Amino acid sequence: MILRTTVDESLEGSQGKDFAIMFRCLLPGCVLLFGLTASACNSTSSAPEGATDQITQQQEIQKAAAALVEQARLKAKNDVLRDPAAFLEVKDSQSHDKGIINSYRQLTQIAVLNHSTVPVQDISGDVEWLNESGERQGSVPFRTRGSIAAGATAMFSQANGTLSNGTLETAANKFRLKISHVSVVE
């Protein structure tokens, strides 16, 4: 073993030999701990019986776990892309009546909570304006710029340029957001 030769030659006397013996005894444990194979270390000493099998099993388990994690991530991504409204919740909002004589409603700010396990960005859909009895009076498209981490809330507003939407001439005071599209942050 290259490492053993270096250790043996660099240390003299009984302390050096003791260290080299201790190092050789610890090496198989390090092999298991760090997932290295004895051949990867160029070892002349043999690993404990079954260590290579155990390492191979651990590697297979790690590969299987990584595959399951990736499969879950892809499923979460596809779910949020298919039905973004199921994962995004408007937590707070503000609107403004821009009219002097007539009422011109516009959404000015929204806070959106991302319930999904993947970060999202660029939300779009429609702002539906509703009368007092909840009937739809009209709608305008909206779009956000920016991202929301998984499980986080983000604020979007006209003032900072992260929310854009049209104005609708209506006396409706209520609205609901119909989220129809979102992108997943890769």
Side-chain angles (χ1 to χ4, degrees), residues 13 44 47 82 84 116:
T44 55
R82 185 177 49 254
S116 77

Side-chain angles (χ1 to χ4, degrees), residues 39-108:
S39 62
C41 294
N42 196 15
S43 176
T44 55
S45 64
S46 62
E49 291 279 328
T52 305
D53 292 340
Q54 194 174 23
I55 291 169
T56 303
Q57 287 176 343
Q58 289 174 348
Q59 289 172 341
E60 288 175 10
I61 290 170
Q62 288 172 346
K63 285 179 185 176
L68 287 174
V69 167
E70 181 61 17
Q71 185 179 14
R73 189 189 71 75
L74 287 174
K75 181 183 180 331
K77 176 183 171 182
N78 290 335
D79 288 348
V80 76
L81 290 173
R82 185 177 49 254
D83 187 10
F87 297 95
L88 301 174
E89 176 185 358
V90 177
K91 296 298 284 182
D92 188 25
S93 60
Q94 293 179 4
S95 63
H96 178 67
D97 183 356
K98 296 172 75 172
I100 296 172
I101 297 173
N102 295 327
S103 294
Y104 291 93
R105 304 289 184 198
Q106 184 176 35
L107 187 62
T108 57

